[in-house]
Amino acid sequence: MVPRSWRKIRYRYDVRGSYCENCGNYHYPPRNFCPTCRRKGKLVETLFPEEGRVVSYTVVREKEPYIIALIELDNGARVLSQLSCEPGEVKIGMRVKKAFRRYGEDGEDGIIHYGTKFVPVD
Amino acid sequence: MIGIVSYGSYIPKFRIKVEEIARVWGEDAKKIKGGLGVHEKSVPDVDEDTATIGVEAAREAVKRAGIDPEEIGAVFVGSESHPYAVKPTATIVGEALGVGNDYYAADLEFACKAGTAGMQICFSMVKAGMIKYGLAIGADTSQARPGDALEYAAAAGGAAFIIGKDPIAEIEATYSFTSDTPDFWRRDLQPYPSHGGRFTGQPAYFRHVISAARGLMERYSYKTEDFDYAVFHMPNAKFPVRAARMLGFSDEHIGQGLVVRAIGNAYSGSSLLGLAATLDVAEPDERVLLVSFGSGAGSDAFALRVTDKIKEFEREPKVWDKIERKVYVDYAIYLKHRRKIKA
């Protein structure tokens, strides 16, 4: 678990995705091969905008309910992320911004996983 | 001229009222509020800790500075609630900010004054020419044993300061007063700190805060009248108000930075949130006295002079705006947020 989580730090800690300079598409998580342009693709890493809006969401009711949302960032890229707010607060179209939060931990003696979630814009 | 180039702050949105804590423990809320001067305190979300608070405060500071994060050459995080006992918070913050790999980093711990200790180290490193910018953070999700007097004030929050040349507030001088005074401590593997009760007052807080302030003034020839604002560490609202009076400051000097009434004591973040709230309104050429206090014990005093650069510096949203954005929780939700009960 440690190496797997470590490999994801760069794009989890901040919303770093890939951008294809050939077709202009964004991808998150980042890809190393453009699914549209295939071999002609020219991918570069890029830091995505801080804010976006909720395109759709679902409330996962497992122990404590939490929200998974499809978020369209201001560059048009779509990311799937946990939304940190009350299930009753979330609405399609609401403005959200990135927040650095805990994802979880590997038990009491394991590593703590951190990453980006989204929260409502005040 | 070296000093604060930028600053940012973060206060979790949840609050619990003193009345709610007093209700659970069968105590007199009025008496506690009168004694401490604290009305409510901030509570972190279930997925927030010192690292996440540090990152949020630091991101605001980097954004306001308008600098490339890779120009930051040192990251120091001061806290007494680092998420790991062994494994630095500073590397988590550095990575999340995109500082790169060329930077000095360490976690600091000196009860509530570890954040100002980080500022002194960054100041020295910039002065020595080792780094261009240094990032000093004071952040905590303060621990308190349920039912302990500390529980009414132990809060969460943090502030981040970028130290460098061409500042918005010059660090004119800094001085520390330190002694071995066991007023408050936490032993290894213990979840909650212990304290010496009334002993935390005169021989600990007041002796160190007053000595550091007077030491700074004597060594660098300042008088009380030279300062427009004063910010002291705020374990409660009573102590800083009394310290201010002992040094000849009026309530107007300290009111802007007295965030403790509304959010409690964010330990390493306490005096730094007070400083951030003060810089939010300070005008060029005004001078701020900052005196932190860390149990164990020591105080770091700073004389800060605000420069013209503050006029074009982005100061919104202000600390007091963040204090006003709040959601109240009851004691059971508070316990869940502090991970004292689990599903």
Side-chain angles (χ1 to χ4, degrees):
Chain A
M1 273 307 280
V2 171
R4 201 168 80 185
S5 147
W6 171 74
R7 277 194 293 272
K8 293 175 181 169
I9 280 179
R10 188 158 175 85
Y11 68 84
R12 272 186 174 177
Y13 279 20
D14 212 337
V15 196
R16 288 176 200 280
S18 53
Y19 172 73
C20 178
E21 290 182 334
N22 192 44
C23 66
N25 282 321
Y26 291 98
H27 323 101
Y28 185 85
R31 288 174 177 268
N32 44 29
F33 195 74
C34 177
T36 313
C37 309
R38 313 290 291 175
R39 238 174 290 174
K40 284 183 193 152
K42 215 179 155 207
L43 293 176
V44 287
E45 186 191 88
T46 175
L47 192 59
F48 284 10
E50 292 172 14
E51 292 188 15
R53 63 177 187 92
V54 173
V55 175
S56 188
Y57 68 94
T58 186
V59 180
V60 183
R61 296 186 188 275
E62 183 194 59
K63 277 200 213 167
E64 273 180 78
Y66 62 94
I67 307 158
I68 295 290
L70 181 64
I71 293 155
E72 187 171 281
L73 296 173
D74 291 346
N75 63 352
R78 287 184 171 196
V79 303
L80 199 58
S81 170
Q82 193 174 328
L83 191 59
S84 201
C85 69
E86 288 301 314
E89 258 180 274
V90 59
K91 298 266 183 312
I92 286 174
M94 80 190 273
R95 296 287 299 169
V96 291
K97 63 175 181 187
K98 74 177 183 191
F100 188 76
R101 297 291 175 107
R102 260 181 195 239
Y103 277 4
E105 56 185 29
D106 292 348
E108 284 189 355
D109 58 355
I111 60 162
I112 304 166
H113 305 283
Y114 292 95
T116 304
K117 291 184 185 178
F118 282 78
V119 294
V121 172
D122 320 293
Chain B
M1 197 195 289
I2 299 163
I4 297 163
V5 170
S6 180
Y7 65 95
S9 61
Y10 185 80
I11 301 162
K13 70 175 176 182
F14 299 100
R15 302 282 183 280
I16 187 165
K17 290 185 175 172
V18 163
E19 283 87 350
E20 175 64 7
I21 300 173
R23 178 183 68 84
V24 172
W25 300 111
E27 294 196 75
D28 183 352
K30 239 186 203 163
K31 213 170 128 191
I32 290 159
K33 280 162 82 172
L36 297 177
V38 175
H39 303 285
E40 54 198 52
K41 68 166 189 173
S42 60
V43 177
D45 206 339
V46 275
D47 54 3
E48 290 184 306
D49 62 18
T50 293
T52 69
I53 290 169
V55 167
E56 292 294 337
R59 274 187 178 160
E60 186 176 73
V62 171
K63 198 173 164 183
R64 288 171 168 184
I67 61 170
D68 179 349
E70 295 206 6
E71 290 181 287
I72 294 170
V75 177
F76 297 104
V77 183
S79 181
E80 58 182 86
S81 53
H82 289 291
Y84 289 92
V86 178
K87 198 230 158 279
T89 310
T91 58
I92 299 169
V93 174
E95 189 71 41
L97 292 180
V99 168
N101 302 112
D102 297 333
Y103 68 104
Y104 300 92
D107 281 8
L108 306 174
E109 188 279 312
F110 194 146
C112 300
K113 87 159 186 79
T116 52
M119 281 172 62
Q120 290 176 325
I121 298 171
C122 288
F123 174 66
S124 308
M125 291 179 90
V126 172
K127 206 170 173 182
M130 289 173 76
I131 55 171
K132 186 174 181 188
Y133 297 115
L135 173 66
I137 298 170
D140 257 304
T141 52
S142 316
Q143 309 295 326
R145 186 184 303 280
D148 190 296
L150 281 179
E151 195 179 22
Y152 291 101
F161 290 82
I162 297 175
I163 309 295
K165 287 181 179 161
D166 206 8
I168 56 166
E170 181 190 1
I171 298 175
E172 289 184 321
T174 179
Y175 169 84
S176 293
F177 183 87
T178 315
S179 82
D180 186 2
T181 307
D183 58 314
F184 173 103
W185 63 91
R186 180 165 66 82
R187 294 281 304 275
D188 200 17
L189 305 180
Q190 294 297 311
Y192 303 114
S194 304
H195 53 86
R198 294 182 71 86
F199 186 67
T200 59
Q202 201 48 51
Y205 182 89
F206 293 105
R207 178 176 175 224
H208 293 82
V209 167
I210 302 300
S211 300
R214 290 209 174 120
L216 178 92
M217 291 191 197
E218 274 164 31
R219 187 176 285 191
Y220 298 99
S221 311
Y222 291 109
K223 296 185 295 289
T224 301
E225 307 83 75
D226 293 330
F227 295 96
D228 301 280
Y229 296 99
V231 179
F232 301 97
H233 172 55
M234 297 168 265
N236 50 53
K238 222 175 188 176
F239 280 19
V241 169
R242 198 185 301 163
R245 285 191 191 136
M246 288 164 83
L247 291 163
F249 290 108
S250 69
D251 290 353
E252 285 78 63
H253 287 102
I254 58 165
Q256 179 64 25
L258 211 60
V259 297
V260 65
R261 292 186 202 279
I263 58 162
N265 173 14
Y267 287 24
S268 300
S270 176
S271 58
L272 292 182
L273 281 167
L275 174 62
T278 303
L279 291 176
D280 278 348
V281 299
E283 298 284 339
D285 280 326
E286 286 188 322
R287 199 175 272 124
V288 183
L289 172 70
L290 167 69
V291 189
S292 63
F293 170 72
S295 291
S299 277
D300 301 329
F302 295 78
L304 299 152
R305 192 187 58 84
V306 178
T307 73
D308 283 337
K309 285 270 288 180
I310 202 138
K311 282 196 247 172
E312 63 240 47
F313 183 76
E314 175 61 73
R315 293 190 269 183
E316 301 291 337
K318 293 183 160 57
V319 171
W320 281 101
D321 297 335
K322 294 176 188 178
I323 290 171
E324 289 312 315
R325 282 179 212 146
K326 57 190 172 185
V327 175
Y328 287 108
V329 294
D330 61 21
Y331 196 82
I333 298 290
Y334 159 74
L335 288 184
K336 190 174 84 172
H337 280 215
R338 295 314 322 269
R339 295 190 275 270
K340 292 181 207 293
I341 50 168
K342 284 171 190 165

